[in-house]
Amino acid sequence: MAKGNQRRAGGRPQAQSLLERYRPIEGVVDEMVDASGSPRPAWRFFIDALDDLGAERLGQRFARADQYLRDAGVYYRVYEQAGANEREWPLAHVPLLIDEKEWAEISAGLVQRADLFEAILSDIYGPNRLVEKGILPAGLIAASPEYLRPIAGVRPANGHFLHMVAFELGRGPDGSWWVLGDRTQAPSGAGFALENRVATTRALSDIYGEMHVHRLAGFFRRFRDTLNAMANESGGRVAILTPGPLNETYYEHAYIARYLGIMLLEGEDLTVSGGRLMVRTVSGLMPIGVLWRRLDAAFADPLELRPESQIGTPGLVEAIRRGSVSAVNALGSGLMETRALLSFLPRIARELQGEDLKLPSIATWWCGQEAERAHVLANIDRMVVGPALSTRLAFEDDGATRLGLSLSSGERADLVARIEADGAGFVGQEAVTLSTTPVFVDGRLEPRPASLRVYLARTPEGWTVMPGGFARVGFSLDPTAIAMQRGGQAADVWVVSDTPVERETLLPQEHEGFTRTMPGSLPSRAAENLTWLGRYIERSEDTVRVLRAYHVRLAETSDPDMPLLTDIRDYLEPFGIEVETAIPPGLIGTLDSAVYSAGQIRDRFSPDGWLALKDLSKTIHKFAQTVAPGDDATRAMTVMLRKLAGFSGLLHENMYRFTGWRFLEIGRRLERGIQIARTLGRLTRNGAPEGALDMMLEIGDSVMTHRRQYPVQAGRRTVIDLLALDPLNPRSILFQLERLKAEIGMLPSIGGEGHMSPAAKEILQLNTAIAVMEPSDMSAKVLDDLAGQIGDLYNSLARAYFA
């Protein structure tokens, strides 16, 4: 074993060790201990190290891992009868350990399988010799919804159907690994494997550091470099295509995009022009050379595939046909996930590769053949029976797959009749007894069923296997409970070596070149969401400032119907802000809209920024349940202002000054200009209630500045001068216009270099007009009109950059 694995020379602690308290399930293979109860080689040092820590410290460390996942915002989406809900990522804190030598055998078998699948897809969508020879039933292929006829005869531009695949493995009763299912459509989970590794090593950093565990970064670096090289050959860029934030694994899509520096796009971001796939950016259309899709192929193109799809891109199939874009994986590759195909793989392997499968599939019989159907019916009590064309694993099917032994006599008779009537619609599979791996429960280790998901990526040198992956671990002894949608957990996988391993990273080597992405390559949808994020945050801050000023005065007076308070209520009501409630639903809705806009661009949002924004949302929803009007609300609004200022400062100080930041800043300045102009017009109008000017200075955060600047009591002209016309006051209207002029002037040119965009012309005219005004020129009507004119700037920007 590794040097560190020989560290512990002394005896065990006085208390009973974790291993001594561990009770494997009789007759079931356990990953940690062998049949004699002794720890397997990869686990020996690890268990001793856990014992050294003790149950209490282990619990504290695992809590630290959970806190990291919460802080990072790691989640997955669960679909229930009540709707879709976000759940915290369920980390099983104890990793699954596999010896390097055993991993090499697993890897060899999976590489063989990936090559076999590539050959099968090339044949099915090409010459179809497997069907011609009778090795594959034509009816089975034709009936599968994953067989895409528009792709038949289309050769992928890069020559390969598969680029990233995953396989679900389980260890059988004899200790060998079996393939439970294949993931060739759009394999998910690789990003979660990274987060599992980060969280687990946060908890067990010292143990991880002493063991020779293979790193994951090299796998992702090689795949990223492969994608970039493919894109360069086609003169385009790499993008990840996601179904959007409502997808159950959207967090992972955004995480991988951010981790690898790849654009994350939705179907509406793309268009096909001149046979090329293009992304709509604020600089115009830009070509996409490689599309790493994370949505099912049938939804990718409503023109030629599923017409009801709202998440695809019309014309994508035609672009693929012309060879202008490479899909990763190729459309139609999900066919290999069809459960019934497992029954034909052994013969196909011998036909195409001249050898048996190194890693066998779970035994499967397709009932569309007479002998196989008879075998299933004769042994139905020992089988799992399910839909032949299903692409899900048996334990993932919600009621569609049944264990024969669990059926009542009536259910059994009904199933037999259905198989006899439509055998081609069913497969029988050997009932699986999964091996168990330890989980930490109430201070001790307990066995739970587990499956292993392993990822392979194609590189110029061939397939590379991720040295790890992740294990799905049950929350109970029920093997169906390992599915994430049913409450399963996810564990990191450590591939352990006897000798030191290479410490790979994503960073390029000194001799490697690099390219800098042009600032203008920002998708239009992302720019729009960034602008609205800026607007919603600024709108929330302005509303909080007005509400705080209102509740300060409410707490000081015994007359809630005093003219100034009545005037503020009347002013806010048209905007959906009802001050009778300490925390108005309209304010909550504005902050929720900010969270929604940020959620649309998670790949462009730092974890710290997202955590700060979620904290804002959590705080205001909590206040809505506990805060009363008056002094209590005043304090709550002060807390909200601090959090809003912290979030804005985090973005302003840490966000790279690329085009996206400019749209965010433009959104903030637009909204601040609108709100100040609107409120200033209201509180400085003729006949405004007593105290309105002082309230305006307070809302504009300019009380102290006014005292320094003007040696007189606040008057209408001084307040307007400071909050409308002072170019040095960051709260003034003129300051916002100056910033808008600068940022809009830096946006990508529309109509060619040297041409001023309509928005740039409008802000220049507006800025000049306001800069030469005097306070006496700014009536309430002028200020109201000015708020409208600033709002119109957004419309000009939208027409130029967001359409």
Side-chain angles (χ1 to χ4, degrees), residues 381-543:
D381 289 339
R382 297 189 294 107
M383 290 198 179
V384 172
V385 180
L389 301 180
S390 174
T391 58
R392 303 175 65 124
L393 302 184
F395 55 75
E396 293 177 332
D397 267 357
D398 294 326
T401 299
R402 308 295 299 276
L403 176 63
L405 192 62
S406 68
L407 300 175
S408 67
S409 57
E411 291 172 330
R412 186 179 186 278
D414 178 67
L415 180 59
V416 168
R418 290 165 59 198
I419 294 173
E420 289 175 339
D422 179 27
F426 293 90
V427 292
Q429 292 185 300
E430 181 181 357
V432 176
T433 300
L434 295 173
S435 62
T436 56
T437 192
V439 297
F440 190 74
V441 181
D442 297 329
R444 61 185 296 163
L445 296 179
E446 295 185 2
R448 293 290 186 271
S451 67
L452 172 63
R453 183 172 293 186
V454 187
Y455 299 87
L456 281 72
R458 185 182 296 281
T459 71
E461 291 75 36
W463 291 104
T464 181
V465 182
M466 181 193 293
F470 77 85
R472 294 201 284 178
V473 184
F475 70 93
S476 70
L477 295 178
D478 179 2
T480 67
I482 71 173
M484 303 300 290
Q485 292 289 328
R486 300 184 186 179
Q489 307 169 84
D492 191 15
V493 177
W494 291 7
V495 177
V496 183
S497 174
D498 292 341
T499 57
V501 298
E502 184 177 356
R503 296 181 177 271
E504 296 189 279
T505 71
L506 280 186
L507 298 176
Q509 303 299 316
E510 286 297 323
H511 65 277
E512 294 178 347
F514 65 90
T515 58
R516 177 179 293 167
T517 302
M518 294 301 293
S521 55
L522 175 72
S524 298
R525 183 181 54 84
E528 186 173 13
N529 278 292
L530 283 163
T531 304
W532 275 106
L533 174 61
R535 292 195 65 172
Y536 285 132
I537 289 298
E538 193 62 39
R539 186 178 300 175
S540 299
E541 181 177 339
D542 178 80
T543 303

Side-chain angles (χ1 to χ4, degrees), residues 122-133:
S122 296
D123 178 76
I124 290 176
Y125 286 106
N128 246 328
R129 293 193 179 93
L130 291 173
V131 170
E132 181 183 342
K133 293 180 178 181

Side-chain angles (χ1 to χ4, degrees), residues 144-322:
S144 173
E146 298 302 331
Y147 176 68
L148 304 183
R149 287 169 178 77
I151 306 300
V154 178
R155 186 69 183 168
N158 54 74
H160 298 291
F161 284 84
L162 299 176
H163 302 268
M164 166 76 80
V165 294
F167 300 101
E168 199 84 22
L169 308 181
R171 196 190 289 272
D174 62 352
S176 60
W177 290 95
W178 293 70
V179 178
L180 305 177
D182 308 289
R183 291 288 176 259
T184 57
Q185 173 79 262
S188 64
F192 288 125
L194 279 170
E195 286 286 36
N196 287 344
R197 175 61 55 89
V198 174
T200 303
T201 53
R202 287 283 180 96
L204 305 173
S205 57
D206 48 352
I207 301 175
Y208 180 81
E210 291 193 55
M211 298 180 71
H212 303 314
V213 181
H214 284 270
R215 270 56 175 176
L216 304 182
F219 171 85
F220 289 96
R221 175 171 52 81
R222 285 185 282 274
F223 187 52
R224 177 201 62 189
D225 293 347
T226 299
L227 295 180
N228 286 332
M230 288 166 54
N232 290 336
E233 290 176 2
S234 66
R237 296 193 60 191
V238 182
I240 296 175
L241 178 62
T242 174
L246 295 181
N247 184 261
E248 64 178 322
T249 57
Y250 176 74
Y251 171 84
E252 184 211 358
H253 305 168
Y255 178 83
I256 285 288
R258 189 168 59 241
Y259 182 70
L260 299 181
I262 298 174
M263 261 196 298
L264 183 65
L265 304 176
E266 295 182 30
E268 64 182 280
D269 295 324
L270 296 163
T271 186
V272 175
S273 177
R276 291 217 66 172
L277 184 65
M278 314 290 279
V279 56
R280 298 180 176 96
T281 77
V282 295
S283 299
L285 297 180
M286 291 189 172
I288 296 296
V290 174
L291 192 66
W292 182 2
R293 62 178 181 87
R294 299 303 301 271
L295 55 76
D296 288 353
F299 294 91
D301 185 347
L303 279 184
E304 299 201 47
L305 301 173
R306 292 186 64 159
E308 72 274 19
S309 173
Q310 300 292 314
I311 56 177
T313 303
L316 176 59
V317 170
E318 179 60 24
I320 291 173
R321 222 179 256 124
R322 295 193 182 195

Side-chain angles (χ1 to χ4, degrees), residues 780-792:
K781 183 179 186 310
V782 168
L783 287 164
D784 285 342
D785 290 344
L786 179 56
Q789 290 173 294
I790 296 173
D792 288 341

